[in-house]
Amino acid sequence: MTEAEQRKEYPIYSGVLMYFPDAIKEVAKCSMAGNRQHHKDKPLHWDRSKSPDHLDAMTRHSIDHGISPVDTDGQLHLAKTAWRALAALQMHLETINK
């Protein structure tokens, strides 16, 4: 399989983004809110030194969603859960693909 064929094998836009457009927007909103909380003076970026306990945080937000869907900062717990799941998956993939 060529590099071009490999890139096209998994349709990111039509196979993920368009399945969950509202959810993806909400996770992006959550990401921006987190950046504003931790780095008001910097452009949007993932500061990996902050709160690396993604699986624990993901689980806490899942539990907290059952109590109240909205966190104290106005963000949805499920959006925070999704962000943490993506972060954990990204870090795992980076580890195994080294």
Side-chain angles (χ1 to χ4, degrees):
M1 184 178 293
T2 68
E3 185 179 329
E5 289 171 331
Q6 288 176 343
R7 284 195 318 269
K8 294 178 181 182
E9 185 176 7
Y10 304 108
I12 298 167
Y13 176 76
S14 61
V16 176
L17 296 181
M18 292 315 298
Y19 287 175
F20 313 108
D22 297 329
I24 297 294
K25 290 177 198 173
E26 198 64 34
V27 173
K29 178 181 161 189
C30 175
S31 184
M32 181 62 82
N35 194 78
R36 288 182 180 139
Q37 175 186 352
H38 297 292
H39 300 289
K40 293 178 186 178
D41 58 333
K42 294 184 181 174
L44 180 63
H45 70 289
W46 178 9
D47 182 349
R48 292 179 180 218
S49 69
K50 299 276 184 188
S51 189
D53 61 333
H54 301 300
L55 297 177
D56 284 330
M58 179 183 71
T59 304
R60 283 193 304 272
H61 285 298
S62 293
I63 291 168
D64 289 346
H65 168 75
I67 298 167
S68 174
V70 181
D71 202 347
T72 56
D73 62 359
Q75 299 302 307
L76 294 174
H77 283 293
L78 286 179
K80 291 182 176 188
T81 299
W83 194 97
R84 291 300 191 138
L86 289 169
L89 177 58
Q90 180 66 36
M91 294 183 83
H92 174 73
L93 292 171
E94 288 173 3
T95 301
I96 65 171
N97 291 328
K98 282 187 174 181

